[in-house]
Amino acid sequence: MEWTNLLSNERLHDPKYSQQPNRSIFTQDYDRIVFSEPFRRLANKTQVQPLYEHDHVHHRLIHSIEVGSVGRSLAMAIGQWLVEKNIIEKGEENSLANIVQAACAAHDIGNPPFGHSGENAIGAWFSARFAKPEGIFKDLDANLREEFCAFEGNAQGFRIIARTEMYRNDGGMRLSKAVLGAFMKYPLSAATKKGLAGDSRKDDGYKEEGYFGKRKFGIFNSELPLFEEVADTLKLIKVEVGPYKWWRRHPLVFVVEAADDICYNIVDLEDAFTTGELQFDVVRGALFELADKPNRDTTEMSEAEQIAYLRAVSIGKGIDSCLEAFKENYAAIMAGTFSKSLVEAGKLSGQFATIKKLAGARIFTARRKTELEVSGHRIIGNVLSGILPVYEQLAGKGWNRDGLDDHAKQVARALVLDLRGISSPEQALHGMSDFISGMTDRYALRISRMLSGT
């Protein structure tokens, strides 16, 4: 892969758009994302701690801004190194930083309420309907079931920025193809992921241990042509195995991923200390190791100040570790064969692994979090079950919105259901998942109560 292609500022579905003299297209991309309604909703979506009243606990919006800050710093450092090596032109390091910051801002934009447990709840609800399919579930192409049964916030995010937001069905936010490429953490469809999982043919590294092929998918069938357009412009490496196709990651995906990894690993610990789920000594010990045992005198600092100090130093050390990992693995990254995250490949991988293990044992299994995830699962099921009759009736009326009865119209009006352009079972189910994934935690709770009459 070549940077001259990878840094394309051509806009999706707007190739004639010209850059303003004092404001790059990549900066405009960032602005389009942060001023969008889906981005604002992240302020009331779970990061780790659901429905928390504490003002200093992270939610998705703050997390996304912090990831953007870390990603920008790491990308700038990588860009400066590339300039020094005469791989890119001087000034293009700013493009790298702006591309990564924009992609970081959007990286969680498709996440549903209640975090990853919300994804699981959506998938479980669809799976139950497909177990004994009726109506629009029976009429859906069986090859498309997986993208609903294994609902994925990353694919929903690409759908938002490339289709549904701003220029609806015409390029979405019309972001630059470089930013769209840097956003795409899993450049394959659900059908490809499922198909390759059971395919015995040579897969050209797809199933290599640690590579994204064993994890998730990032593109719904409905947006596959849009990503193909992006990939063709960026000249991402395309792999075809029988009927299945996927792409090697854009190199800046690893930078976005690293920024996310650094932030959530470190900040989850700080939040756990803030909420009292982890004791000071436990959090301090983990961050002290990651921060490379700084010798600053902290005796006059409060416990919260000490944790904040170690958090800041740890983030800096994490950036340095990922920078060196990018340099050391540059050839493999550009060839599309690098199969780890930069955090895993860096010199601090052991310290990050310890923190991840601690979080898994003590934070993600905390009683309050578990109880609210159980509630969130029920809330999401209630909402989807409550709106399903509208879409079933729409199908029965030949997809004519005017043919809905008064109650269905009332429900659609009360919930502001967007029924525009729905003319197939696939579009109907995406309409439902668009609605539920766009909800905030508290709004989902309110609508669940309204629909169930409680």
Side-chain angles (χ1 to χ4, degrees):
M1 291 179 280
E2 301 291 338
W3 289 108
T4 51
N5 302 314
L6 294 168
L7 301 182
S8 171
N9 66 3
E10 180 182 308
R11 289 199 180 282
L12 181 65
H13 284 200
D14 195 9
K16 295 183 180 180
Y17 187 91
S18 58
Q19 184 167 287
Q20 297 178 14
N22 298 315
R23 187 163 169 254
S24 80
I25 281 179
F26 307 132
T27 300
Q28 292 178 47
D29 287 348
Y30 177 78
D31 294 345
R32 288 187 178 190
I33 293 164
V34 299
F35 279 96
S36 70
E37 187 175 345
F39 184 79
R40 290 198 301 275
R41 292 194 198 111
L42 296 176
N44 287 293
K45 288 192 177 186
T46 293
Q47 171 59 21
V48 171
Q49 305 288 351
L51 296 172
Y52 228 102
E53 299 296 336
H54 200 297
D55 290 341
H56 295 280
V57 170
H58 285 73
H59 47 65
R60 289 279 173 186
L61 189 146
I62 292 298
H63 168 70
S64 297
I65 292 173
E66 292 179 347
V67 170
S69 177
V70 171
R72 180 189 61 217
S73 297
L74 176 56
M76 181 62 78
I78 289 171
Q80 289 174 343
W81 176 72
L82 293 173
V83 170
E84 292 169 4
K85 294 292 183 179
N86 294 316
I87 297 173
I88 63 174
E89 297 291 329
K90 184 172 178 57
E92 287 187 331
E93 69 273 24
N94 296 312
S95 293
L96 263 72
N98 291 334
I99 290 166
V100 168
Q101 185 178 26
C104 286
H107 86 282
D108 271 350
I109 206 165
N111 279 36
F114 308 109
H116 292 300
S117 67
E119 288 178 307
N120 295 335
I122 294 171
W125 187 88
F126 278 111
S127 295
R129 269 79 198 155
F130 283 120
K132 295 181 179 180
E134 297 178 352
I136 55 177
F137 296 93
K138 185 177 181 180
D139 294 337
L140 182 76
D141 183 341
N143 293 320
L144 300 179
R145 291 182 180 182
E146 185 68 12
E147 59 187 42
F148 297 101
C149 293
F151 181 80
E152 178 52 53
N154 288 288
Q156 185 66 30
F158 185 74
R159 177 174 167 82
I160 289 170
I161 62 178
R163 178 179 295 280
T164 63
E165 185 66 17
M166 290 181 65
Y167 295 94
R168 184 178 179 83
N169 294 324
D170 192 17
M173 294 185 186
R174 293 187 177 176
L175 304 179
S176 68
K177 293 179 179 178
V179 167
L180 292 170
F183 170 89
M184 184 53 69
K185 191 173 180 179
Y186 306 106
L188 74 166
S189 68
T192 290
K193 182 181 185 302
K194 184 177 181 180
L196 286 180
D199 198 300
S200 61
R201 285 173 289 193
K202 181 178 181 292
D203 56 27
D204 200 14
Y206 173 85
K207 298 176 196 171
E208 182 178 346
E209 188 64 36
Y211 203 58
F212 65 78
K214 286 194 173 182
R215 299 178 186 176
K216 302 177 179 181
F217 67 92
I219 316 168
F220 292 131
N221 177 70
S222 53
E223 282 70 61
L224 192 55
L226 294 172
F227 186 73
E228 288 194 85
E229 181 181 337
V230 171
D232 286 347
T233 298
L234 301 177
K235 292 185 169 40
L236 300 183
I237 299 170
K238 185 177 182 179
V239 183
E240 295 185 89
V241 181
Y244 310 112
K245 59 186 174 183
W246 56 287
W247 291 265
R248 301 288 184 175
R249 283 174 163 182
H250 189 297
L252 294 182
V253 168
F254 293 99
V255 182
V256 175
E257 181 182 54
D260 188 26
D261 289 345
I262 289 170
C263 285
Y264 80 71
N265 275 292
I266 293 171
V267 174
D268 284 358
L269 285 186
E270 185 178 25
D271 279 351
F273 164 73
T274 300
T275 62
E277 290 178 342
L278 289 181
Q279 296 176 330
F280 167 73
D281 289 343
V282 173
V283 176
R284 182 189 181 280
L287 293 180
F288 188 71
E289 292 295 322
L290 185 59
D292 196 21
K293 302 177 181 179
N295 59 6
R296 178 175 175 178
D297 182 4
T298 59
T299 54
E300 295 301 315
M301 292 183 180
S302 68
E303 290 186 346
E305 288 171 338
Q306 291 183 55
I307 296 301
Y309 164 69
L310 290 172
R311 177 253 300 151
V313 176
S314 294
I315 288 174
K317 296 293 184 181
I319 290 173
D320 292 342
S321 177
C322 290
L323 170 61
E324 293 307 312
F326 190 93
K327 293 178 182 179
E328 291 169 3
N329 296 281
Y330 180 72
I333 289 171
M334 298 304 290
T337 59
F338 184 60
S339 62
K340 293 183 177 180
S341 70
L342 295 179
V343 163
E344 292 170 334
K347 63 182 180 180
L348 296 179
S349 60
Q351 290 89 329
F352 274 109
T354 297
I355 289 175
K356 193 170 185 178
K357 184 177 180 180
L358 174 62
R362 300 282 300 276
I363 299 175
F364 297 116
T365 57
R367 180 176 178 180
R368 181 183 181 278
K369 176 175 171 57
T370 302
E371 289 175 348
L372 285 171
E373 286 179 347
V374 170
S375 297
H377 194 284
R378 182 63 179 271
I379 289 167
I380 284 174
N382 286 346
V383 173
L384 287 170
S385 296
I387 64 174
L388 175 59
V390 176
Y391 292 87
E392 290 285 13
Q393 189 178 135
L394 185 65
K397 298 296 182 180
W399 310 108
N400 178 16
R401 286 178 287 166
D402 294 334
L404 295 175
D405 65 26
D406 289 344
H407 179 66
K409 288 180 178 178
Q410 189 177 42
V411 172
R413 186 168 59 251
L415 274 58
V416 197
L417 294 179
D418 193 342
L419 304 178
R420 292 175 296 168
I422 294 178
S423 59
S424 70
E426 180 184 6
Q427 292 171 347
L429 296 185
H430 273 305
M432 294 179 66
S433 56
D434 287 344
F435 179 71
I436 190 67
S437 65
M439 302 176 100
T440 63
D441 294 11
R442 288 185 172 83
Y443 182 64
L445 174 60
R446 182 165 72 83
I447 296 303
S448 173
R449 287 173 173 169
M450 184 192 80
L451 289 172
S452 61
T454 59

